[in-house]
Amino acid sequence: MENLSSTDLLTGLNHEQLAAVTWPPQPALVLAGAGSGKTRVLTTRIAWLLQTGQASIHSILAVTFTNKAAREMQLRLSTLLPFSIRGMWLGTFHGLCHRFLRLHYQQAELPRAFQILDSADQLGVIKRLLKQLNIAEEVIAPRSLQGFINAQKEAGLRASSLQASDPHEHRMIECYASYDQLCRQEGIVDFAELMLRSYEVLQTDAVLRTHYQNRFNHILIDEFQDTNKLQYQWLKLLAGEHAAIFAVGDDDQSIYRFRGAEVENMSRFMREYQVTEPIKLEQNYRSVGNILIAANAVIANNATRLGKNLRTEAGTGEKIRAFRAINDVEEAQFVVDEVKALHRDGLNYIQMAVLYRSNAQSRVLEQALFRAGLPYKIYGGLRFYERQEIKHALAYLRLAVNPEDDNALLRVINVPARGIGSRTIENIQATAAEDNSSLWHAAKKLALKQQKIGFFVQLIEQLQSQALHVSLPELMASVVYDTGLIEHYRSQKGEQQERINNLEELINAAIAFKPEDFSYESPDDNPTDNPLSAALAFLSSASLEAGEHQAGEGEEALQLMTVHAAKGLEFDAVFLTGLEEGLFPSEFSLAERNGLEEERRLMYVAITRARQRLYLSMAEQRLLHGKTHFALSSRFVDEIPQEVIQHLSAHSSSLVSRQQSTVRTNPFHSRSKLAETPATEDFDGFQLGQNVHHERFGTGVIIDASHKAEGANLTINFGKQGIKELNTLFAKNKLTILA
């Protein structure tokens, strides 16, 4: 390959990129806005350091967050340089720490052939440990302990340095200590241990630390806003006092606080390394002007940011399209119709993406896409009916309508854990083989002698009885709650909230399911009259949807994903759905310190995924987490200048005339009797779902109401002002119904 001169390397860089690439050998913070070419800056910086003789491949440490990013940097460098960079330390935090520990296993007190545990293997070790300690999974959930251990390690904390605030935490700390001891005995390390053990070796071994500080005179870090406390401390140890740290990141795209990321590391770095001003990459090469105007306007409302303003030379482009649907079903249909129109106009499905805040939102969208016959793919996740918790719940439902289903029984006989281990299951299988019967009959036979099997049999018989007499939503609510599935996931911290949301969304699916739309060969098998047939129809519908061909890698398909999963991606057209207060921003974030600012950064990330077209949609009513929500549009939509938005619908803000046909039953208010207040019931002149204006709190929506003496108590969501409870006897003159 022809050797590129240092001048050739710099060709085509804008003045901001040029300043970053040619920065002198001293600490620098590069604020790289979305679509501003940060990967090009990083790789060109490395190539320029090498070409100008300021560094060798052995004196550079380059850190990324994903293997994909590391491979991309290696590929780009191979096209820029005439020599191999094989000896360079370029990789992820975990990959580099693994390399370090392989070289220095003795100092780390590890066997030479130590093995790495992936997440599944780590969970298996934890389950084995709890069994050895005679701790039931009902007392300490294995996933909960796994999350606890990893969180402590990522904070740089060993069990010996932790203080318990209650007996349960004390037991968790003891388990952490036992887990560490077990791993040392067996010569195994988990991913979090790679980082922590490397840090501890560098911290305690002065000779080794000095060696690496003298070796690496240039340290470059990608996605610096996503570093956690331990990663930052590890970088500082390697840098010492003389290395030129080149940190590239975007504080406006810091969205992984739940994983331990500390956006404060950026301002901390500037302070500790005396970086007076960051280098700002504000030229955007991805999106048209109107999209950037929206992104800049939204993120400007965050108080704690270093500050930058994206710009483009691509023109203003089309206006952002906003759609306010009556309910989530209409919103999904809007997405389907627009996707079809864009595809007819020549846009490939693969260049379109549908984003949502929570995985549970995908169910209604998937159903609409399935019915329309549109190809789609869940990016970075599973389709709704393929998710573990949904398969568990459907297995219980299958047993309720057909207890002879051996596969369903094997799936859930010990989910949630009820003390039915592999040996007991083997006994059931042996009995079934001996009697030439189903596993269900064998379980019933053994239940007479074994109490734990008896409890399971009793549970299934209860579901069987309900399947004959109660509605599908009631039966599904029993499946989700009475089996203990919800409590099982609720006891586990971390991302298990997504599983809970999905289970509640499964009940929503049962509520929305229309058996009459499902074709039947026999007119006598009408699911609308027969609860058992309705359950069978629902199971058949779910199986068909789950079994529908999902596009493989490279096949043209519409992309569905959470906003978190969308980071780093870009599409010609983006549909951002569910823009409602309490959903995006999420109700949980509003109660957390700095939670709203992180939600706004998430909105910024979502907006900047779009290149040409951006759609914003919300639903006035949404059946979410088992409850009918009457929603106000997200404050983030209000923060976008109206001159860049084109409204595609003109629904009245009052829902009175439509409630009767759109409000669906909510099984959580009364699980034994699926009843609700009639949608059109009058509460001293007000009705559920009405949009109102209060002279002090502004515009809101009535989300709950009850009669009280001569007046009524109204629960109103006022968006930014929060949820207020007002009595009409005192507040009626201050409230105006919006027509």
Side-chain angles (χ1 to χ4, degrees):
M1 179 184 292
E2 183 181 347
N3 191 352
L4 289 175
S5 68
S6 57
T7 303
D8 293 332
L9 283 172
L10 305 180
T11 301
L13 297 177
N14 65 40
H15 71 279
E16 298 161 344
Q17 294 172 333
L18 182 63
V21 168
T22 59
W23 191 255
Q26 61 191 48
L29 176 65
V30 179
L31 274 185
S36 62
K38 71 177 179 63
T39 304
R40 182 182 183 186
V41 166
L42 269 169
T43 52
T44 308
R45 168 76 174 175
I46 294 172
W48 185 75
L49 289 172
L50 294 170
Q51 289 287 64
T52 57
Q54 297 182 65
S56 70
I57 59 172
H58 300 292
S59 65
I60 291 176
L61 177 74
V63 191
T64 69
F65 265 83
T66 66
N67 288 314
K68 180 182 176 183
R71 288 192 296 269
E72 184 178 354
M73 287 181 66
Q74 289 169 340
L75 181 62
R76 291 198 186 194
L77 284 169
S78 68
T79 64
L80 294 174
L81 298 168
F83 48 83
S84 171
I85 59 165
R86 187 167 182 173
M88 185 185 297
W89 280 49
L90 189 162
T92 65
F93 278 102
H94 290 127
L96 293 173
C97 287
H98 172 241
R99 182 173 179 174
F100 175 85
L101 291 176
R102 288 293 178 198
L103 288 170
H104 306 291
Y105 64 91
Q106 291 176 312
Q107 293 93 325
E109 299 180 352
L110 288 169
R112 184 172 187 174
F114 70 86
Q115 297 299 304
I116 302 174
L117 299 172
D118 62 20
S119 182
D121 291 335
Q122 182 191 27
L123 186 62
V125 171
I126 287 172
K127 287 181 177 179
R128 178 157 53 90
L129 173 69
L130 291 174
K131 196 169 185 178
Q132 290 176 4
L133 297 175
N134 292 317
I135 298 175
E137 292 187 8
E138 292 84 353
V139 177
I140 294 181
R143 286 192 183 276
S144 179
L145 180 57
Q146 182 183 36
F148 176 81
I149 290 172
N150 290 341
Q152 304 314 312
K153 288 188 176 185
E154 287 166 3
L157 301 172
R158 293 289 183 190
S160 58
S161 62
L162 297 173
Q163 297 294 323
S165 58
D166 56 60
H168 177 73
E169 189 176 10
H170 179 73
R171 181 171 282 190
M172 295 280 277
I173 294 171
E174 289 181 334
C175 288
Y176 176 18
S178 299
Y179 169 81
D180 256 0
Q181 184 179 359
L182 179 64
C183 288
R184 287 178 183 271
Q185 289 173 354
E186 298 184 5
I188 52 180
V189 296
D190 54 51
F191 276 104
E193 183 70 19
L194 290 171
M195 190 85 225
L196 180 55
R197 189 74 67 97
S198 299
Y199 171 75
E200 290 173 339
V201 171
L202 286 169
Q203 190 180 43
T204 57
D205 193 321
V207 174
L208 202 59
R209 183 172 66 249
T210 302
H211 165 75
Y212 280 102
Q213 288 176 349
N214 290 336
R215 173 175 178 170
F216 297 129
N217 56 29
H218 286 278
I219 297 177
L220 301 94
I221 311 105
D222 191 13
E223 305 286 6
F224 189 64
Q225 78 279 352
D226 293 333
T227 54
N228 61 30
K229 179 180 179 181
L230 182 60
Q231 289 164 342
Y232 181 64
Q233 293 299 324
W234 180 81
L235 289 167
K236 285 181 63 178
L237 277 182
L238 284 171
E241 297 180 1
H242 306 294
I245 297 182
F246 190 80
V248 181
D250 184 0
D251 58 332
D252 291 334
Q253 294 189 74
S254 179
I255 58 174
Y256 295 120
R257 187 164 52 102
F258 65 95
R259 294 182 186 170
E262 294 190 2
V263 67
E264 297 81 9
N265 281 344
M266 300 187 81
S267 54
R268 188 176 293 126
F269 170 74
M270 290 183 66
R271 184 173 62 253
E272 293 178 353
Y273 285 86
Q274 299 178 344
V275 177
T276 55
E277 286 291 333
I279 304 168
K280 298 180 181 181
L281 304 184
E282 297 176 301
Q283 178 74 45
N284 177 278
Y285 294 96
R286 176 187 300 160
S287 307
V288 294
N290 282 334
I291 291 173
L292 296 185
I293 289 172
N296 289 333
V298 169
I299 202 64
N301 289 277
N302 271 3
T304 54
R305 58 189 294 259
L306 297 173
K308 65 182 180 311
N309 208 51
L310 296 179
R311 65 181 187 277
T312 183
E313 296 176 358
T316 57
E318 299 180 9
K319 286 189 175 184
I320 296 168
R321 294 161 170 83
F323 181 76
R324 184 182 180 91
I326 296 172
N327 54 37
D328 48 357
V329 175
E330 185 184 62
E331 180 190 35
Q333 189 57 49
F334 163 74
V335 172
V336 166
D337 293 341
E338 288 295 317
V339 166
K340 285 181 177 179
L342 289 173
H343 191 254
R344 284 195 301 270
D345 290 342
L347 188 61
N348 290 333
Y349 290 124
I350 202 169
Q351 287 303 332
M352 294 182 263
V354 181
L355 310 185
Y356 35 79
R357 178 64 180 83
S358 165
N359 267 315
Q361 292 171 248
S362 80
R363 201 270 308 168
V364 176
L365 292 161
E366 286 188 65
Q367 186 177 63
L369 292 166
F370 171 73
R371 288 178 174 173
L374 294 180
Y376 71 91
K377 182 177 181 180
I378 304 291
Y379 181 89
L382 297 171
R383 288 183 170 199
F384 183 78
Y385 288 109
E386 294 173 343
R387 295 168 191 167
Q388 177 199 89
E389 61 280 7
I390 300 302
K391 286 189 171 183
H392 289 338
L394 291 180
Y396 275 113
L397 185 61
R398 284 160 55 189
L399 289 173
V401 299
N402 176 24
E404 309 291 324
D405 189 332
D406 285 356
N407 285 333
L409 185 144
L410 287 173
R411 184 177 188 91
V412 296
I413 192 169
N414 198 42
V415 178
R418 49 176 61 91
I420 301 178
S422 56
R423 185 172 298 177
T424 303
I425 293 173
E426 288 171 4
N427 290 339
I428 294 173
Q429 290 172 319
T431 301
E434 184 179 316
D435 296 348
N436 193 27
S437 70
S438 67
L439 296 180
W440 170 247
H441 282 285
K444 289 179 69 176
K445 184 176 181 179
L446 293 176
L448 300 173
K449 300 177 182 178
Q450 299 187 38
Q451 189 179 45
K452 291 174 181 177
I453 300 178
F455 287 147
F456 174 73
V457 168
Q458 185 179 0
L459 171 62
I460 300 304
E461 288 178 336
Q462 176 186 331
L463 292 176
Q464 285 179 260
S465 176
Q466 287 183 289
L468 297 172
H469 303 104
V470 305
S471 68
L472 176 61
E474 283 182 290
L475 178 59
M476 190 62 74
S478 292
V479 162
V480 167
Y481 280 89
D482 296 346
T483 62
L485 280 176
I486 281 281
E487 283 306 314
H488 168 66
Y489 290 114
R490 189 168 283 142
S491 67
Q492 302 175 18
K493 296 180 180 179
E495 298 181 19
Q496 300 309 309
Q497 182 60 45
E498 283 284 353
R499 299 192 186 276
I500 295 171
N501 294 347
N502 287 334
L503 286 171
E504 291 174 341
E505 184 59 29
L506 185 62
I507 301 176
N508 296 345
I511 295 170
F513 182 65
K514 296 179 180 179
E516 62 270 20
D517 292 344
F518 205 86
S519 60
Y520 293 85
E521 294 185 4
S522 171
D524 298 327
D525 188 21
N526 186 347
T528 58
D529 301 326
N530 185 338
L532 185 60
S533 294
L536 285 167
F538 182 82
L539 284 167
S540 298
S541 175
S543 296
L544 287 173
E545 212 167 309
E548 179 75 0
H549 170 69
Q550 181 169 194
E553 199 67 38
E555 290 186 60
E556 187 187 334
L558 180 68
Q559 308 290 298
L560 271 65
M561 66 195 76
T562 63
V563 180
H564 279 101
K567 187 167 183 292
L569 304 176
E570 56 185 75
F571 305 90
D572 285 341
V574 169
F575 295 83
L576 183 48
T577 63
L579 287 171
E580 300 135 34
E581 282 292 305
L583 186 57
F584 197 3
S586 75
E587 58 184 331
F588 301 108
S589 70
L590 299 177
E592 296 176 352
R593 181 175 175 270
N594 298 325
L596 180 59
E597 293 221 343
E598 175 130 343
E599 287 289 295
R600 190 173 279 111
R601 292 195 292 268
L602 196 58
M603 179 69 175
Y604 176 83
V605 167
I607 292 172
T608 54
R609 298 312 92 195
R611 288 192 284 253
Q612 301 293 329
R613 287 194 178 192
L614 176 63
Y615 294 82
L616 310 176
S617 66
M618 63 88 62
E620 293 175 336
Q621 295 182 47
R622 184 181 298 275
L623 198 58
L624 191 66
H625 311 327
K627 299 178 182 178
T628 299
H629 287 253
F630 299 99
L632 290 175
S633 63
S634 169
R635 69 188 69 194
F636 300 150
V637 177
D638 296 336
E639 291 169 357
I640 298 174
Q642 287 302 298
E643 58 266 23
V644 303
I645 296 181
Q646 176 187 354
H647 294 277
L648 300 183
S649 60
H651 289 310
S652 165
S653 59
S654 173
L655 306 180
V656 182
S657 61
R658 298 188 295 271
Q659 285 179 345
Q660 221 163 9
S661 61
T662 57
V663 176
R664 289 169 285 178
T665 312
N666 174 8
F668 295 95
H669 290 308
S670 177
R671 295 244 337 275
S672 61
K673 183 180 180 182
L674 288 172
E676 62 173 2
T677 303
T680 55
E681 185 174 353
D682 185 272
F683 295 91
D684 196 18
F686 297 89
Q687 295 171 352
L688 281 177
Q690 277 184 326
N691 282 40
V692 295
H693 185 271
H694 187 275
E695 60 183 38
R696 178 181 174 188
F697 303 124
T699 301
V701 60
I702 301 173
I703 59 175
D704 200 4
S706 61
H707 296 284
K708 184 173 182 180
E710 298 176 5
N713 285 337
L714 305 179
T715 303
I716 306 175
N717 184 347
F718 286 105
K720 294 180 182 180
Q721 300 296 326
I723 296 175
K724 312 291 182 183
E725 292 192 6
L726 304 176
N727 187 280
T728 57
L729 287 177
F730 306 101
K732 194 169 185 178
N733 293 334
K734 300 178 181 180
L735 280 174
T736 304
I737 298 173
L738 298 177

